[in-house]
Amino acid sequence: MIGACVRSPNYPSDYGDSQSCTITPSLAVGQLLSATAFSTESCCDKLIVNGVAYSGSSGPSNVVLGSNAFEWTSDSSVTGAGWEVCASLSPSQPPPATPEARDSGLV
């Protein structure tokens, strides 16, 4: 994980054959997850978020991230450039208070 983003292994170069990993969102629960880049083998290499499989050139867009882990799997043949997905605050979710705001009594 890089900041609020997660990338497929070796991104932006091609990911490998027969990969799998589980990503557990701890700090990003309730935030919106969107792909900034997405290129996988359509039939067989999938990113699964909230039970929905994404592949090909269609990654998640503004998906509310639950507390369940999401998963990446690739098969043993064709690979692609992979993906990057990033979490951001939803419009109804206020940003965390800064120490200055808490100290001034504004929060």
Side-chain angles (χ1 to χ4, degrees), residues 51-83:
V52 177
Y54 299 92
S55 63
S57 60
S58 298
S61 179
N62 292 323
V63 174
V64 176
L65 200 51
S67 59
N68 295 331
F70 54 103
E71 300 175 34
W72 161 247
T73 59
S74 67
D75 70 354
S76 60
S77 61
V78 178
T79 61
W83 47 267

Side-chain angles (χ1 to χ4, degrees), residues 24-35:
T24 304
S26 54
L27 300 177
V29 171
Q31 294 187 15
L32 300 177
L33 188 72
S34 294

Side-chain angles (χ1 to χ4, degrees), residues 100-107:
E100 296 81 23
R102 281 194 302 266
D103 293 340
S104 69
L106 297 175
V107 177

